[in-house]
Amino acid sequence: MTHKVLLLPGDGIGPEIAAQAARLLKACQDAGLDIEVDEALVGGAAYDAHGDPLPEQTLDKAKAASAILLGAVGGPKWDKIEDLSKRPEKGLLGLRKNLGLFGNLRPAMLYPQLASASSLKPELVAGLDIMIVRELTGGIYFGQPRGIEERNGERVGFNTYVYSESEIERIGRVAFEMAQKRGKKLCSVDKANVLEVTILWREVMERLAPEYPDVELSHMYVDNAAMQLVRAPKQFDVVVTGNMFGDILSDAAAMLTGSIGMLPSASLNESGQGMYEPCHGSAPDIAGKNIANPLAMMLSVAMMLRYSLGENAMAERIEAAVGSVLDDGLRTADIASEGMQTIGTDAMGDAVLSAFAKQ
Ligand SMILES: NC(=O)c1ccc[n+]([C@@H]2O[C@H](COP(=O)([O-])OP(=O)(O)OC[C@H]3O[C@@H](n4cnc5c(N)ncnc54)[C@H](O)[C@@H]3O)[C@@H](O)[C@H]2O)c1
Ligand SMILES: CC(C)[C@H](C(=O)O)[C@@H](O)C(=O)O
Ligand SMILES: [Mg+2]
């Protein structure tokens, strides 16, 4: 069966890294992968062209695709748009919500070659392999009511942090199953000392635990989890948490691996359809300079092959190609270190492609 892959480059460094992913997809096709690749606009680019960060034709194509690869959206150019629903980020949130992509997998894995690029001491991060499972279509990102309104003569901003039992249970199951396939340890992160919504979160996780007797469940408050991530990150195997805590903790975990430019992610729905994107944003500070690290994006292609297309061998081939490029001492600026060769985005793409061809 021919798989349909939709590429959404987006904004900032999005198109630069998406170009490398497109070349990699072509190489996969040449190696026998049966895919058809289409492209569409999202985010600021779609707003500029159609006045909408998620035009109907993009959403239709996304719904019809087996998998979506997204670069990044957003940037200062669009930060002044008053109507929040037209901001680039709403394009991304709209895709997640409309496709029901509730299960966000954000692995933080240290390539041994990058131990010295981490901001932590090498011994603290050597062998690091954490999987953050972030709930992606609920919580404070989507809760109602929300808004900014006039109350008692001043403006008040408000959002609602809400989770239903069924939403908690379905992300809990994703996390328990993930833990079963990995180190059998699951840490649920909440703020149950203050917030009712996470008291319920903790209760539901506890209720699920007996169904996964081989998994050791623990709980941690989010402030402590942030601290533990930079104190002793290797204590974690799988972490499950809500939308906003997961957003924050996954950026912190990313840095442990040397750079946010290394971390891919998968966002899955109930039927296994997925959207794949780097954890980082559109990096406006380095956009257009050919210096962005394309590896998170290229590793997102590997995640797509594994989770949506069932092509494990080809996914491993991409991951091995990335490893071999790092072995060769090639680095983009964000992961540069002494004695290594610093190269740009295109050159890193070239290097991965040639290593992929040799695998
Ligand atoms: N998934 C997404 O599309 C996504 C995610 C996060 C932020 N954003 C948007 O991106 C814009 C910028 O946000 P931000 O600055 O907070 O976060 P960011 O992730 O874009 O950048 C944070 C820092 O990391 C660096 N960085 C990020 N990716 C890199 C890469 N591949 N190679 C090298 N360096 C990299 C940037 O140069 C910057 O210094 C905002 O508009 C934000 O809303 C989008
Ligand atoms: C751009 C933004 C809406 C998004 C989020 O907060 O989920 C980003 O930070 C991410 O981590 O994917
Ligand atoms: Mg984020």
Side-chain angles (χ1 to χ4, degrees):
M1 183 189 107
T2 307
H3 297 290
K4 283 189 182 168
V5 173
L6 179 65
L7 186 62
L8 302 173
D11 312 317
I13 60 168
E16 295 169 54
I17 56 174
Q20 306 313 316
R23 296 169 71 201
L24 183 57
L25 289 173
K26 176 80 180 50
C28 291
Q29 281 172 316
D30 294 344
L33 181 69
D34 192 7
I35 52 168
E36 201 176 86
V37 183
D38 196 1
E39 229 182 275
L41 293 175
V42 73
Y47 176 82
D48 288 348
H50 302 290
D52 185 350
L54 181 55
E56 218 171 282
Q57 57 268 44
T58 298
L59 184 58
D60 288 345
K61 282 184 179 187
K63 284 181 176 161
S66 317
I68 302 148
L69 269 172
L70 183 137
V73 298
K77 179 177 176 197
W78 303 282
D79 283 347
K80 297 261 156 12
I81 301 175
E82 285 217 355
D83 180 356
L84 260 188
S85 70
K86 299 284 184 224
R87 295 253 180 107
E89 290 79 1
K90 284 286 176 180
L92 176 60
L93 295 171
L95 279 167
R96 291 174 180 168
K97 193 70 177 174
N98 276 287
L99 300 177
L101 304 168
F102 70 95
N104 186 209
L105 310 180
R106 297 195 160 187
M109 199 206 92
L110 182 83
Y111 276 88
Q113 302 91 328
L114 294 184
S116 60
S118 171
S119 43
L120 293 195
K121 296 188 198 90
E123 64 270 24
L124 288 181
V125 290
L128 182 85
D129 181 5
I130 303 176
M131 177 67 85
I132 298 186
V133 178
R134 168 188 176 196
E135 200 291 328
L136 202 60
T137 52
I140 199 164
Y141 273 53
F142 294 96
Q144 295 289 345
R146 62 189 295 160
I148 301 177
E149 63 183 38
E150 192 89 9
R151 289 184 198 164
N152 304 323
E154 63 172 338
R155 294 201 309 152
V156 174
F158 54 96
N159 289 86
T160 301
Y161 190 178
V162 56
Y163 272 118
S164 65
E165 285 182 293
S166 57
E167 283 176 307
I168 304 168
E169 182 173 326
R170 80 180 170 175
I171 193 71
R173 289 194 184 284
V174 171
F176 272 106
E177 281 164 27
M178 181 61 66
Q180 279 184 322
K181 288 188 216 134
R182 295 174 38 107
K184 306 197 168 22
K185 265 175 39 181
L186 175 61
C187 179
S188 171
V189 171
D190 61 38
K191 189 75 187 177
N193 49 346
V194 179
L195 303 172
E196 284 81 355
V197 47
T198 67
I199 293 177
L200 184 66
W201 178 282
R202 194 177 275 222
E203 260 179 50
V204 173
M205 291 298 158
E206 278 295 324
R207 199 165 71 209
L208 289 176
E211 293 184 44
Y212 306 88
D214 51 335
V215 176
E216 180 197 321
L217 173 68
S218 62
H219 305 277
M220 198 179 274
Y221 298 136
V222 62
D223 44 354
N224 185 25
M227 189 272 276
Q228 296 296 339
L229 265 180
V230 291
R231 189 189 74 86
K234 282 191 275 180
Q235 69 185 283
F236 296 106
D237 174 21
V238 180
V239 171
V240 64
T241 191
N243 206 340
M244 185 165 66
F245 296 162
D247 179 43
I248 299 166
L249 294 180
S250 60
D251 265 31
M255 194 54 218
L256 303 175
T257 72
S259 166
I260 195 162
M262 292 300 299
L263 281 210
S265 78
S267 307
L268 304 170
N269 67 16
E270 312 238 25
S271 53
Q273 186 193 25
M275 180 157 82
Y276 299 83
E277 45 171 329
C279 288
H280 62 72
S282 59
D285 52 334
I286 58 166
K289 298 183 178 161
N290 190 34
I291 57 174
N293 185 346
L295 293 179
M297 184 74 189
M298 297 178 100
L299 290 167
S300 296
V301 173
M303 279 193 102
M304 174 186 89
L305 292 171
R306 178 170 294 122
Y307 288 105
S308 282
L309 308 188
E311 296 279 352
N312 285 344
M314 192 122 21
E316 278 161 26
R317 226 175 120 178
I318 293 174
E319 287 157 353
V322 169
S324 112
V325 166
L326 297 175
D327 281 339
D328 291 344
L330 301 176
R331 304 282 188 271
T332 42
D334 56 311
I335 49 173
S337 60
E338 228 179 279
M340 302 294 149
Q341 190 189 343
T342 306
I343 57 174
T345 310
D346 293 344
M348 184 54 95
D350 292 344
V352 174
L353 287 183
S354 87
F356 178 79
K358 286 188 210 137
Q359 293 294 317

